[in-house]
Amino acid sequence: MRAVAGTFERPDWDEYFMLQAELAKLRSNCRSRQVGAVIVRNNRQLATGYNGTPPGMPNCHEGGCERCLRREQGLLGPGEQLERCMCTHAEANAIMHCAILGIEAGAAGAALYTTMAPCLECAKMAVTIGIRRFVCLGSYAEHDMGLLDRAGVEMLVMDRGRLSRWMGKMLTPGEDGGK
């Protein structure tokens, strides 16, 4: 966003919702990587999600996911035995959150913001519920952007640098002295 003399600066909508996804990922307890996701429709946040073990199971950092533990020990490489991972992806958690609350996310063409490109399974779920736009940071080895393209889903890979200045502003006391 460009500043015009005498105007108030604020994040654009993509930056704002990606900052929300970055915040959501802080709840993740995955040993491999932390991912956050936000589903939005008409510039309103519908649901958030982060990756982690299902409710009622030990958390990943408590040994709830054998795959993550083995990866941390160097016994597995990235992308190996993904089917053995006990963690639910952030995007899937946000989609399930909509289902649990009875929110029809795709009715008006929702967007999904995620701190990592979606895997094939999450992309399929998102297309199924009507997500029409993905905004993500980073990449993921197990993704299939061809699916999103064939489904007519817009894909934007955001430069992480766009968030840096807003993150800095959140950590800097304002002119009110931090009150």
Side-chain angles (χ1 to χ4, degrees):
M1 167 158 213
R2 292 188 193 136
V4 178
T7 62
F8 183 77
E9 275 190 283
R10 63 184 181 170
D12 67 27
W13 287 114
D14 284 344
E15 294 163 342
Y16 175 76
F17 290 118
M18 190 57 74
L19 287 166
Q20 298 294 323
E22 283 285 312
L23 182 61
K25 86 177 190 181
L26 296 178
R27 289 286 307 155
S28 172
N29 59 60
C30 181
R31 291 173 172 267
S32 293
R33 65 176 50 106
Q34 295 175 303
V35 181
V38 174
I39 297 177
V40 173
R41 183 178 62 218
N42 298 328
N43 292 330
R44 297 287 183 244
Q45 185 170 313
L46 302 177
T48 60
Y50 54 87
N51 58 323
T53 56
M57 289 184 59
N59 288 311
C60 192
H61 73 285
E62 298 167 326
C65 181
E66 181 71 25
R67 181 196 176 269
C68 287
L69 182 60
R70 294 189 69 206
R71 186 162 180 241
E72 189 176 67
Q73 294 169 342
L75 301 173
L76 291 175
E80 290 181 20
Q81 296 185 12
L82 290 172
E83 72 282 358
R84 308 271 313 144
C85 184
M86 296 307 294
C87 295
T88 304
H89 289 185
E91 302 89 343
N93 268 326
I95 290 167
M96 286 186 277
H97 186 121
C98 285
I100 289 166
L101 297 177
I103 299 169
E104 189 176 351
L112 197 155
Y113 291 80
T114 180
T115 59
M116 179 174 284
C119 73
L120 178 58
E121 290 302 312
C122 288
K124 288 191 299 189
M125 283 189 272
V127 167
T128 299
I129 68 161
I131 298 291
R132 305 307 309 152
R133 183 168 187 258
F134 265 99
V135 181
C136 65
L137 296 173
S139 62
Y140 185 65
E142 302 299 318
H143 73 280
D144 183 353
M145 294 307 154
L147 167 71
L148 298 177
D149 188 49
R150 289 188 304 278
V153 175
E154 176 189 350
M155 180 70 169
L156 170 68
V157 179
M158 181 185 283
D159 177 9
R160 188 174 292 279
R162 286 178 59 184
L163 303 181
S164 298
R165 107 174 187 207
W166 301 114
M167 288 179 168
K169 283 184 173 270
M170 288 190 290
L171 299 174
T172 305
E175 293 179 6
D176 63 355
K179 295 180 185 175

